[in-house]
Amino acid sequence: MPWKTEHRERSFAHTFAFGSLLAASCVLWMPAAQADLSELEGDHGHPSQTTGTPSTPPAQPIDDGLSCPGDSPCIETATQLTLRVLPRPFSNIYQEPVADGGAIVQANPPAFRPLYAFERRDIDLREGAEPRGWYRVGRTRTQADGWMQAKDVFEWRQALLVSFTHPGDPIEGRHPVLMFKDRETLQAIVDDMDMAASAQALYDEIDRGGTPEAVISLEPKRFVDITTHFYMLPILQWSQTQIDGDDVRLLQLASAVPGARGADTLQTPEYREQAQTGRDTADQGIEDIAVDIVFVIDTTRSMQPFIDMTRDAVARMARNFSERTQDRFRFGLVTYRDSLEAVPALDYLTRNHTPTLVTAERLAEILDTDAKATRVGSLGYDEDVFAGVDAALRQSPWREKSIKFVILIGDASSHLKGDAHNSTRKDETDLRREYDDANVHLLAIHLQNPKAAEDFPRTLQQFGTLARIRGNPSEQALEQVDTAQEDAYRRLVDRVTAGINTELERTLAAKAPVAPTSPGSATSPTVPGTPPAETPEVLSSVSGIWQAALIEYIGQSANPPKDIVAWSLDRDLINPADRALEVRVLVTREQLSSLAQALDSVMQALMRAEVTQAQFLESLQSVSGQAMKRPDDLAQAQRLADTGLLPAFIQSLPYRSDVLALTDEMFASMTAEQRAQLEWSILAKLEQYRAINDQVDAWFRLNDTDADSDMVYPLHIDYLP
């Protein structure tokens, strides 16, 4: 097996390494947009706990790197993080550190739901699966509830977990994650010369109703989105190998769903039935499906003919609605131009013409009366496309649980991140990540003026990233048309609007959505039902985003597994190039707020250093020293990570950050463009933190007694500085 390499073992507390901003100053492991489990690296020295044969050498008794005052949770002295533990299923909380059945305070506390640890007594983890000692634990920071045996909990020192990726369509998408009883069985499959065949045999056995001895459970075939249906898959330990030269990880995971109890295994009929329900099959509720479409249109000088043709296409779409679809669609319109600082006569940068989503007929009227192209020229050919895309996401009054689309229509690229005229401080990768988190899908139409051919590559790269089809990143919902061929544009926009209507008709007629026969197919097959007598050919771009959105919609009725400990691969077992799990960090509102405040100070220091020609750390001391608990740390620091400015939870996370590594020497050696990129990247993250904080429904309580400040959000690790 020449493509397999020597394995490396790590416990859950060991390092994730991620490159981010400064290629000139630090090795870039991979682009920030792809940061994930493939970037595990390093060793923080915390002992591992296992449920089987330990994969690491026996640990010495845990070193007391904790301060446990008794009346409040233990604090890890190096990071100032509170110590939390994850209860195993069917454990108990006792009144005293004695396993006396008559002194049980709480039997079977929710499995893998974090508890605060107030005290550790006689802890010894050298026995691997049977650690000795006791933890005094509590659901809140203010009061301990009792004692738990060390063998009944896992220490969870970093709030790292994984989530399932979007699985893609039922035919070409990835396979569900299998959850194995032990690492050895999973390792044997990964090491098999015909890994795909070994894995396929397990899937086939499960599909036939069998229960492979080595498989505990599996991910539901339908998509369970952690941002809308919160669950926890904390990493307990992991090992590393390679497949075809690509790093992959074998992960031991716990699983928990707040508010739900009971182990979900293949032996559990109810769970098995719902987990095996295909992502092309909907439960009750598909009859209520609704569709929101927001157009984002360039209204600079060259765009008026295309605005008019879009208006006509929307009007024709309205006339073609059936009784089943006419009340399900609502529309929005956001228009954009360019920087008013550069050209004040442009009148506006972005405008939301639909503070309330409207009918197709009303949108046609708005396009006719309000969405007029300016007669004033922009400063250059590129425009602030990203401002329009950002405004559509944040300002549109999306309906709850609707399928959400943005149709971007423009003839020029957007200002790059770092350009003074880029008002959002973001790029296409930032916006694509935010669209994914919001379950909004974008189709882009690039109007190509042959006179501006030099702008095509940048526009196609930006529009293509924005229009990436979720669950199938190699496919893009991107259409191109020559501006000289107005009839071609008219036909294209008709096919886009009619195609979405047709897909909705098919979904309602079949009462069970189906996937396209293959990527890029022109039409989607139907299942028995009463589809429209004549259905127009559907563009593959429309079909692709419809299927991706529909899989998310159907997944609302799926439930992730809970109350088990198992081993899984972070890739598709049959197609290892497909990522199955991605890393997130669980943050509280308080932590996100403190991170934002710290980054704001870093931003001020960067700008001050630029103006005064002072060293970066000297500027940082001047803008933030008085607000720090230990200002001497800043004066003695050699790099940003040593200043004590950033929240402790960030410095405790096992990932590599070029921002944290920033030194005076690195800052001095950076070009003006690199400094601008750094500043704008930080500003983009600050805007993202603000947006996340404002999303009321995005925050979750792990325990019913948690205060609002302790509510959590599963932050994608790419959002970290």
Side-chain angles (χ1 to χ4, degrees), residues 347-380:
D347 188 38
Y348 65 82
L349 172 61
T350 68
R351 179 169 291 173
N352 180 10
H353 300 263
T354 50
T356 300
L357 295 182
V358 299
T359 64
E361 293 90 343
R362 177 58 186 146
L363 179 63
E365 293 175 2
I366 293 172
L367 283 164
D368 188 45
T369 59
D370 295 347
K372 297 297 183 181
T374 180
R375 298 187 179 187
V376 179
S378 301
L379 187 65

PDB file of all heavy atoms in Angstrom, residues 347-380:
ATOM      1  N   ASP A 347     -25.494  58.220  -6.794  1.00  0.00           N
ATOM      2  CA  ASP A 347     -26.716  58.329  -5.990  1.00  0.00           C
ATOM      3  C   ASP A 347     -26.779  57.315  -4.850  1.00  0.00           C
ATOM      4  O   ASP A 347     -27.163  57.654  -3.741  1.00  0.00           O
ATOM      5  CB  ASP A 347     -27.962  58.209  -6.868  1.00  0.00           C
ATOM      6  CG  ASP A 347     -29.241  58.508  -6.104  1.00  0.00           C
ATOM      7  OD1 ASP A 347     -29.215  59.425  -5.255  1.00  0.00           O
ATOM      8  OD2 ASP A 347     -30.257  57.838  -6.334  1.00  0.00           O
ATOM      9  N   TYR A 348     -26.453  56.065  -5.093  1.00  0.00           N
ATOM     10  CA  TYR A 348     -26.457  55.085  -4.006  1.00  0.00           C
ATOM     11  C   TYR A 348     -25.451  53.974  -4.298  1.00  0.00           C
ATOM     12  O   TYR A 348     -25.077  53.726  -5.451  1.00  0.00           O
ATOM     13  CB  TYR A 348     -27.847  54.496  -3.773  1.00  0.00           C
ATOM     14  CG  TYR A 348     -28.404  53.666  -4.925  1.00  0.00           C
ATOM     15  CD1 TYR A 348     -28.029  52.333  -5.092  1.00  0.00           C
ATOM     16  CD2 TYR A 348     -29.329  54.205  -5.821  1.00  0.00           C
ATOM     17  CE1 TYR A 348     -28.548  51.565  -6.136  1.00  0.00           C
ATOM     18  CE2 TYR A 348     -29.854  53.437  -6.856  1.00  0.00           C
ATOM     19  CZ  TYR A 348     -29.453  52.117  -7.004  1.00  0.00           C
ATOM     20  OH  TYR A 348     -29.975  51.363  -8.032  1.00  0.00           O
ATOM     21  N   LEU A 349     -25.027  53.301  -3.216  1.00  0.00           N
ATOM     22  CA  LEU A 349     -24.161  52.129  -3.347  1.00  0.00           C
ATOM     23  C   LEU A 349     -25.007  50.872  -3.508  1.00  0.00           C
ATOM     24  O   LEU A 349     -24.845  50.110  -4.460  1.00  0.00           O
ATOM     25  CB  LEU A 349     -23.258  52.000  -2.117  1.00  0.00           C
ATOM     26  CG  LEU A 349     -22.422  50.721  -2.026  1.00  0.00           C
ATOM     27  CD1 LEU A 349     -21.480  50.609  -3.215  1.00  0.00           C
ATOM     28  CD2 LEU A 349     -21.650  50.692  -0.710  1.00  0.00           C
ATOM     29  N   THR A 350     -25.925  50.635  -2.562  1.00  0.00           N
ATOM     30  CA  THR A 350     -26.897  49.545  -2.680  1.00  0.00           C
ATOM     31  C   THR A 350     -28.259  50.088  -2.290  1.00  0.00           C
ATOM     32  O   THR A 350     -28.361  51.055  -1.528  1.00  0.00           O
ATOM     33  CB  THR A 350     -26.556  48.347  -1.759  1.00  0.00           C
ATOM     34  OG1 THR A 350     -26.716  48.730  -0.390  1.00  0.00           O
ATOM     35  CG2 THR A 350     -25.147  47.842  -2.004  1.00  0.00           C
ATOM     36  N   ARG A 351     -29.290  49.458  -2.811  1.00  0.00           N
ATOM     37  CA  ARG A 351     -30.653  49.839  -2.437  1.00  0.00           C
ATOM     38  C   ARG A 351     -31.515  48.591  -2.379  1.00  0.00           C
ATOM     39  O   ARG A 351     -31.557  47.810  -3.327  1.00  0.00           O
ATOM     40  CB  ARG A 351     -31.229  50.842  -3.443  1.00  0.00           C
ATOM     41  CG  ARG A 351     -32.664  51.279  -3.155  1.00  0.00           C
ATOM     42  CD  ARG A 351     -33.063  52.461  -4.027  1.00  0.00           C
ATOM     43  NE  ARG A 351     -32.320  53.668  -3.639  1.00  0.00           N
ATOM     44  CZ  ARG A 351     -32.369  54.813  -4.322  1.00  0.00           C
ATOM     45  NH1 ARG A 351     -33.103  54.899  -5.430  1.00  0.00           N
ATOM     46  NH2 ARG A 351     -31.691  55.867  -3.907  1.00  0.00           N
ATOM     47  N   ASN A 352     -32.193  48.439  -1.243  1.00  0.00           N
ATOM     48  CA  ASN A 352     -33.151  47.340  -1.095  1.00  0.00           C
ATOM     49  C   ASN A 352     -34.536  47.882  -1.446  1.00  0.00           C
ATOM     50  O   ASN A 352     -35.115  48.661  -0.701  1.00  0.00           O
ATOM     51  CB  ASN A 352     -33.128  46.801   0.341  1.00  0.00           C
ATOM     52  CG  ASN A 352     -34.109  45.659   0.545  1.00  0.00           C
ATOM     53  OD1 ASN A 352     -34.676  45.136  -0.406  1.00  0.00           O
ATOM     54  ND2 ASN A 352     -34.297  45.264   1.798  1.00  0.00           N
ATOM     55  N   HIS A 353     -35.047  47.464  -2.592  1.00  0.00           N
ATOM     56  CA  HIS A 353     -36.331  47.969  -3.074  1.00  0.00           C
ATOM     57  C   HIS A 353     -37.517  47.213  -2.471  1.00  0.00           C
ATOM     58  O   HIS A 353     -38.668  47.611  -2.707  1.00  0.00           O
ATOM     59  CB  HIS A 353     -36.401  47.828  -4.605  1.00  0.00           C
ATOM     60  CG  HIS A 353     -35.327  48.583  -5.333  1.00  0.00           C
ATOM     61  ND1 HIS A 353     -35.520  49.835  -5.864  1.00  0.00           N
ATOM     62  CD2 HIS A 353     -34.036  48.247  -5.593  1.00  0.00           C
ATOM     63  CE1 HIS A 353     -34.390  50.243  -6.443  1.00  0.00           C
ATOM     64  NE2 HIS A 353     -33.486  49.294  -6.296  1.00  0.00           N
ATOM     65  N   THR A 354     -37.237  46.152  -1.715  1.00  0.00           N
ATOM     66  CA  THR A 354     -38.328  45.305  -1.203  1.00  0.00           C
ATOM     67  C   THR A 354     -38.119  45.020   0.282  1.00  0.00           C
ATOM     68  O   THR A 354     -37.718  43.917   0.659  1.00  0.00           O
ATOM     69  CB  THR A 354     -38.393  43.980  -1.983  1.00  0.00           C
ATOM     70  OG1 THR A 354     -37.062  43.400  -2.036  1.00  0.00           O
ATOM     71  CG2 THR A 354     -38.906  44.196  -3.394  1.00  0.00           C
ATOM     72  N   PRO A 355     -38.358  46.012   1.155  1.00  0.00           N
ATOM     73  CA  PRO A 355     -38.248  45.743   2.594  1.00  0.00           C
ATOM     74  C   PRO A 355     -39.210  44.653   3.045  1.00  0.00           C
ATOM     75  O   PRO A 355     -39.007  44.034   4.081  1.00  0.00           O
ATOM     76  CB  PRO A 355     -38.574  47.097   3.232  1.00  0.00           C
ATOM     77  CG  PRO A 355     -39.267  47.882   2.170  1.00  0.00           C
ATOM     78  CD  PRO A 355     -38.733  47.400   0.877  1.00  0.00           C
ATOM     79  N   THR A 356     -40.259  44.436   2.247  1.00  0.00           N
ATOM     80  CA  THR A 356     -41.136  43.272   2.409  1.00  0.00           C
ATOM     81  C   THR A 356     -41.132  42.532   1.080  1.00  0.00           C
ATOM     82  O   THR A 356     -41.261  43.159   0.018  1.00  0.00           O
ATOM     83  CB  THR A 356     -42.565  43.695   2.762  1.00  0.00           C
ATOM     84  OG1 THR A 356     -42.546  44.434   3.988  1.00  0.00           O
ATOM     85  CG2 THR A 356     -43.465  42.467   2.921  1.00  0.00           C
ATOM     86  N   LEU A 357     -40.970  41.209   1.122  1.00  0.00           N
ATOM     87  CA  LEU A 357     -40.981  40.446  -0.122  1.00  0.00           C
ATOM     88  C   LEU A 357     -42.343  40.581  -0.794  1.00  0.00           C
ATOM     89  O   LEU A 357     -43.377  40.665  -0.134  1.00  0.00           O
ATOM     90  CB  LEU A 357     -40.658  38.980   0.158  1.00  0.00           C
ATOM     91  CG  LEU A 357     -39.250  38.703   0.701  1.00  0.00           C
ATOM     92  CD1 LEU A 357     -39.030  37.209   0.889  1.00  0.00           C
ATOM     93  CD2 LEU A 357     -38.173  39.291  -0.196  1.00  0.00           C
ATOM     94  N   VAL A 358     -42.330  40.575  -2.122  1.00  0.00           N
ATOM     95  CA  VAL A 358     -43.535  40.920  -2.882  1.00  0.00           C
ATOM     96  C   VAL A 358     -43.867  39.814  -3.878  1.00  0.00           C
ATOM     97  O   VAL A 358     -43.090  38.886  -4.100  1.00  0.00           O
ATOM     98  CB  VAL A 358     -43.342  42.260  -3.632  1.00  0.00           C
ATOM     99  CG1 VAL A 358     -43.090  43.390  -2.654  1.00  0.00           C
ATOM    100  CG2 VAL A 358     -42.191  42.152  -4.636  1.00  0.00           C
ATOM    101  N   THR A 359     -45.019  39.944  -4.509  1.00  0.00           N
ATOM    102  CA  THR A 359     -45.421  39.017  -5.562  1.00  0.00           C
ATOM    103  C   THR A 359     -44.620  39.297  -6.833  1.00  0.00           C
ATOM    104  O   THR A 359     -43.992  40.345  -6.978  1.00  0.00           O
ATOM    105  CB  THR A 359     -46.915  39.158  -5.869  1.00  0.00           C
ATOM    106  OG1 THR A 359     -47.147  40.481  -6.388  1.00  0.00           O
ATOM    107  CG2 THR A 359     -47.761  38.935  -4.619  1.00  0.00           C
ATOM    108  N   ALA A 360     -44.697  38.375  -7.781  1.00  0.00           N
ATOM    109  CA  ALA A 360     -44.002  38.563  -9.045  1.00  0.00           C
ATOM    110  C   ALA A 360     -44.544  39.777  -9.793  1.00  0.00           C
ATOM    111  O   ALA A 360     -43.781  40.542 -10.403  1.00  0.00           O
ATOM    112  CB  ALA A 360     -44.134  37.307  -9.904  1.00  0.00           C
ATOM    113  N   GLU A 361     -45.848  39.964  -9.755  1.00  0.00           N
ATOM    114  CA  GLU A 361     -46.437  41.116 -10.446  1.00  0.00           C
ATOM    115  C   GLU A 361     -45.895  42.425  -9.878  1.00  0.00           C
ATOM    116  O   GLU A 361     -45.556  43.354 -10.624  1.00  0.00           O
ATOM    117  CB  GLU A 361     -47.963  41.088 -10.337  1.00  0.00           C
ATOM    118  CG  GLU A 361     -48.628  39.934 -11.076  1.00  0.00           C
ATOM    119  CD  GLU A 361     -48.780  38.707 -10.197  1.00  0.00           C
ATOM    120  OE1 GLU A 361     -48.083  38.631  -9.140  1.00  0.00           O
ATOM    121  OE2 GLU A 361     -49.576  37.824 -10.562  1.00  0.00           O
ATOM    122  N   ARG A 362     -45.814  42.486  -8.553  1.00  0.00           N
ATOM    123  CA  ARG A 362     -45.319  43.710  -7.926  1.00  0.00           C
ATOM    124  C   ARG A 362     -43.840  43.914  -8.227  1.00  0.00           C
ATOM    125  O   ARG A 362     -43.392  45.047  -8.457  1.00  0.00           O
ATOM    126  CB  ARG A 362     -45.559  43.652  -6.409  1.00  0.00           C
ATOM    127  CG  ARG A 362     -45.013  44.832  -5.630  1.00  0.00           C
ATOM    128  CD  ARG A 362     -45.589  46.150  -6.109  1.00  0.00           C
ATOM    129  NE  ARG A 362     -44.958  47.285  -5.460  1.00  0.00           N
ATOM    130  CZ  ARG A 362     -44.742  48.456  -6.045  1.00  0.00           C
ATOM    131  NH1 ARG A 362     -45.091  48.652  -7.316  1.00  0.00           N
ATOM    132  NH2 ARG A 362     -44.171  49.435  -5.362  1.00  0.00           N
ATOM    133  N   LEU A 363     -43.060  42.828  -8.254  1.00  0.00           N
ATOM    134  CA  LEU A 363     -41.643  42.966  -8.580  1.00  0.00           C
ATOM    135  C   LEU A 363     -41.465  43.513  -9.993  1.00  0.00           C
ATOM    136  O   LEU A 363     -40.592  44.359 -10.227  1.00  0.00           O
ATOM    137  CB  LEU A 363     -40.927  41.615  -8.448  1.00  0.00           C
ATOM    138  CG  LEU A 363     -39.439  41.655  -8.789  1.00  0.00           C
ATOM    139  CD1 LEU A 363     -38.680  42.559  -7.825  1.00  0.00           C
ATOM    140  CD2 LEU A 363     -38.836  40.261  -8.805  1.00  0.00           C
ATOM    141  N   ALA A 364     -42.300  43.053 -10.926  1.00  0.00           N
ATOM    142  CA  ALA A 364     -42.211  43.567 -12.302  1.00  0.00           C
ATOM    143  C   ALA A 364     -42.460  45.075 -12.330  1.00  0.00           C
ATOM    144  O   ALA A 364     -41.785  45.822 -13.068  1.00  0.00           O
ATOM    145  CB  ALA A 364     -43.200  42.834 -13.199  1.00  0.00           C
ATOM    146  N   GLU A 365     -43.390  45.545 -11.522  1.00  0.00           N
ATOM    147  CA  GLU A 365     -43.653  46.979 -11.447  1.00  0.00           C
ATOM    148  C   GLU A 365     -42.444  47.735 -10.881  1.00  0.00           C
ATOM    149  O   GLU A 365     -42.080  48.810 -11.370  1.00  0.00           O
ATOM    150  CB  GLU A 365     -44.881  47.227 -10.566  1.00  0.00           C
ATOM    151  CG  GLU A 365     -46.189  46.696 -11.151  1.00  0.00           C
ATOM    152  CD  GLU A 365     -47.344  46.860 -10.170  1.00  0.00           C
ATOM    153  OE1 GLU A 365     -47.103  47.422  -9.073  1.00  0.00           O
ATOM    154  OE2 GLU A 365     -48.462  46.410 -10.487  1.00  0.00           O
ATOM    155  N   ILE A 366     -41.833  47.169  -9.832  1.00  0.00           N
ATOM    156  CA  ILE A 366     -40.675  47.824  -9.213  1.00  0.00           C
ATOM    157  C   ILE A 366     -39.515  47.889 -10.208  1.00  0.00           C
ATOM    158  O   ILE A 366     -38.818  48.908 -10.315  1.00  0.00           O
ATOM    159  CB  ILE A 366     -40.269  47.068  -7.933  1.00  0.00           C
ATOM    160  CG1 ILE A 366     -41.368  47.202  -6.870  1.00  0.00           C
ATOM    161  CG2 ILE A 366     -38.937  47.584  -7.394  1.00  0.00           C
ATOM    162  CD1 ILE A 366     -41.157  46.338  -5.648  1.00  0.00           C
ATOM    163  N   LEU A 367     -39.312  46.807 -10.951  1.00  0.00           N
ATOM    164  CA  LEU A 367     -38.260  46.804 -11.963  1.00  0.00           C
ATOM    165  C   LEU A 367     -38.522  47.854 -13.042  1.00  0.00           C
ATOM    166  O   LEU A 367     -37.593  48.428 -13.612  1.00  0.00           O
ATOM    167  CB  LEU A 367     -38.155  45.416 -12.595  1.00  0.00           C
ATOM    168  CG  LEU A 367     -37.448  44.344 -11.753  1.00  0.00           C
ATOM    169  CD1 LEU A 367     -37.741  42.945 -12.295  1.00  0.00           C
ATOM    170  CD2 LEU A 367     -35.946  44.590 -11.725  1.00  0.00           C
ATOM    171  N   ASP A 368     -39.775  48.122 -13.308  1.00  0.00           N
ATOM    172  CA  ASP A 368     -40.133  49.079 -14.352  1.00  0.00           C
ATOM    173  C   ASP A 368     -39.995  50.524 -13.877  1.00  0.00           C
ATOM    174  O   ASP A 368     -39.603  51.404 -14.650  1.00  0.00           O
ATOM    175  CB  ASP A 368     -41.567  48.815 -14.804  1.00  0.00           C
ATOM    176  CG  ASP A 368     -41.952  49.646 -16.010  1.00  0.00           C
ATOM    177  OD1 ASP A 368     -41.134  49.719 -16.956  1.00  0.00           O
ATOM    178  OD2 ASP A 368     -43.054  50.230 -16.011  1.00  0.00           O
ATOM    179  N   THR A 369     -40.291  50.759 -12.604  1.00  0.00           N
ATOM    180  CA  THR A 369     -40.351  52.144 -12.130  1.00  0.00           C
ATOM    181  C   THR A 369     -39.162  52.581 -11.289  1.00  0.00           C
ATOM    182  O   THR A 369     -38.755  53.748 -11.333  1.00  0.00           O
ATOM    183  CB  THR A 369     -41.633  52.357 -11.297  1.00  0.00           C
ATOM    184  OG1 THR A 369     -41.619  51.434 -10.185  1.00  0.00           O
ATOM    185  CG2 THR A 369     -42.867  52.110 -12.148  1.00  0.00           C
ATOM    186  N   ASP A 370     -38.598  51.675 -10.511  1.00  0.00           N
ATOM    187  CA  ASP A 370     -37.595  52.065  -9.517  1.00  0.00           C
ATOM    188  C   ASP A 370     -36.173  51.638  -9.860  1.00  0.00           C
ATOM    189  O   ASP A 370     -35.214  52.313  -9.462  1.00  0.00           O
ATOM    190  CB  ASP A 370     -37.954  51.486  -8.142  1.00  0.00           C
ATOM    191  CG  ASP A 370     -39.245  52.056  -7.603  1.00  0.00           C
ATOM    192  OD1 ASP A 370     -39.712  53.058  -8.162  1.00  0.00           O
ATOM    193  OD2 ASP A 370     -39.782  51.495  -6.634  1.00  0.00           O
ATOM    194  N   ALA A 371     -36.020  50.519 -10.541  1.00  0.00           N
ATOM    195  CA  ALA A 371     -34.683  49.954 -10.754  1.00  0.00           C
ATOM    196  C   ALA A 371     -34.085  50.454 -12.060  1.00  0.00           C
ATOM    197  O   ALA A 371     -33.879  49.691 -13.011  1.00  0.00           O
ATOM    198  CB  ALA A 371     -34.755  48.431 -10.740  1.00  0.00           C
ATOM    199  N   LYS A 372     -33.802  51.735 -12.120  1.00  0.00           N
ATOM    200  CA  LYS A 372     -33.266  52.329 -13.340  1.00  0.00           C
ATOM    201  C   LYS A 372     -31.739  52.390 -13.282  1.00  0.00           C
ATOM    202  O   LYS A 372     -31.148  52.673 -12.233  1.00  0.00           O
ATOM    203  CB  LYS A 372     -33.822  53.741 -13.532  1.00  0.00           C
ATOM    204  CG  LYS A 372     -35.336  53.791 -13.715  1.00  0.00           C
ATOM    205  CD  LYS A 372     -35.771  53.050 -14.976  1.00  0.00           C
ATOM    206  CE  LYS A 372     -37.276  53.162 -15.207  1.00  0.00           C
ATOM    207  NZ  LYS A 372     -37.688  52.426 -16.432  1.00  0.00           N
ATOM    208  N   ALA A 373     -31.126  52.107 -14.404  1.00  0.00           N
ATOM    209  CA  ALA A 373     -29.674  52.228 -14.484  1.00  0.00           C
ATOM    210  C   ALA A 373     -29.276  53.704 -14.460  1.00  0.00           C
ATOM    211  O   ALA A 373     -29.959  54.558 -15.014  1.00  0.00           O
ATOM    212  CB  ALA A 373     -29.160  51.567 -15.754  1.00  0.00           C
ATOM    213  N   THR A 374     -28.172  53.981 -13.803  1.00  0.00           N
ATOM    214  CA  THR A 374     -27.674  55.353 -13.759  1.00  0.00           C
ATOM    215  C   THR A 374     -27.064  55.742 -15.105  1.00  0.00           C
ATOM    216  O   THR A 374     -26.617  54.899 -15.875  1.00  0.00           O
ATOM    217  CB  THR A 374     -26.617  55.502 -12.653  1.00  0.00           C
ATOM    218  OG1 THR A 374     -26.150  56.845 -12.645  1.00  0.00           O
ATOM    219  CG2 THR A 374     -25.441  54.567 -12.900  1.00  0.00           C
ATOM    220  N   ARG A 375     -27.067  57.025 -15.370  1.00  0.00           N
ATOM    221  CA  ARG A 375     -26.418  57.519 -16.582  1.00  0.00           C
ATOM    222  C   ARG A 375     -24.999  57.993 -16.306  1.00  0.00           C
ATOM    223  O   ARG A 375     -24.310  58.473 -17.202  1.00  0.00           O
ATOM    224  CB  ARG A 375     -27.239  58.662 -17.176  1.00  0.00           C
ATOM    225  CG  ARG A 375     -28.648  58.227 -17.596  1.00  0.00           C
ATOM    226  CD  ARG A 375     -29.363  59.335 -18.330  1.00  0.00           C
ATOM    227  NE  ARG A 375     -30.704  58.922 -18.755  1.00  0.00           N
ATOM    228  CZ  ARG A 375     -31.489  59.652 -19.533  1.00  0.00           C
ATOM    229  NH1 ARG A 375     -31.068  60.831 -19.971  1.00  0.00           N
ATOM    230  NH2 ARG A 375     -32.691  59.225 -19.868  1.00  0.00           N
ATOM    231  N   VAL A 376     -24.584  57.836 -15.057  1.00  0.00           N
ATOM    232  CA  VAL A 376     -23.259  58.284 -14.640  1.00  0.00           C
ATOM    233  C   VAL A 376     -22.298  57.102 -14.695  1.00  0.00           C
ATOM    234  O   VAL A 376     -22.617  56.007 -14.238  1.00  0.00           O
ATOM    235  CB  VAL A 376     -23.299  58.859 -13.215  1.00  0.00           C
ATOM    236  CG1 VAL A 376     -21.913  59.298 -12.767  1.00  0.00           C
ATOM    237  CG2 VAL A 376     -24.280  60.026 -13.162  1.00  0.00           C
ATOM    238  N   GLY A 377     -21.145  57.295 -15.229  1.00  0.00           N
ATOM    239  CA  GLY A 377     -20.151  56.239 -15.317  1.00  0.00           C
ATOM    240  C   GLY A 377     -19.428  56.032 -14.000  1.00  0.00           C
ATOM    241  O   GLY A 377     -19.253  56.961 -13.203  1.00  0.00           O
ATOM    242  N   SER A 378     -18.984  54.786 -13.753  1.00  0.00           N
ATOM    243  CA  SER A 378     -18.191  54.481 -12.566  1.00  0.00           C
ATOM    244  C   SER A 378     -16.758  54.922 -12.784  1.00  0.00           C
ATOM    245  O   SER A 378     -16.342  55.260 -13.898  1.00  0.00           O
ATOM    246  CB  SER A 378     -18.242  52.979 -12.271  1.00  0.00           C
ATOM    247  OG  SER A 378     -19.571  52.550 -12.072  1.00  0.00           O
ATOM    248  N   LEU A 379     -15.977  54.876 -11.696  1.00  0.00           N
ATOM    249  CA  LEU A 379     -14.589  55.304 -11.770  1.00  0.00           C
ATOM    250  C   LEU A 379     -13.775  54.354 -12.642  1.00  0.00           C
ATOM    251  O   LEU A 379     -12.943  54.762 -13.430  1.00  0.00           O
ATOM    252  CB  LEU A 379     -13.988  55.388 -10.367  1.00  0.00           C
ATOM    253  CG  LEU A 379     -12.584  55.972 -10.271  1.00  0.00           C
ATOM    254  CD1 LEU A 379     -12.585  57.431 -10.701  1.00  0.00           C
ATOM    255  CD2 LEU A 379     -12.062  55.845  -8.834  1.00  0.00           C
ATOM    256  N   GLY A 380     -14.024  53.053 -12.505  1.00  0.00           N
ATOM    257  CA  GLY A 380     -13.347  52.035 -13.295  1.00  0.00           C
ATOM    258  C   GLY A 380     -14.357  51.002 -13.739  1.00  0.00           C
ATOM    259  O   GLY A 380     -15.567  51.155 -13.547  1.00  0.00           O
TER     260      GLY A 380
END
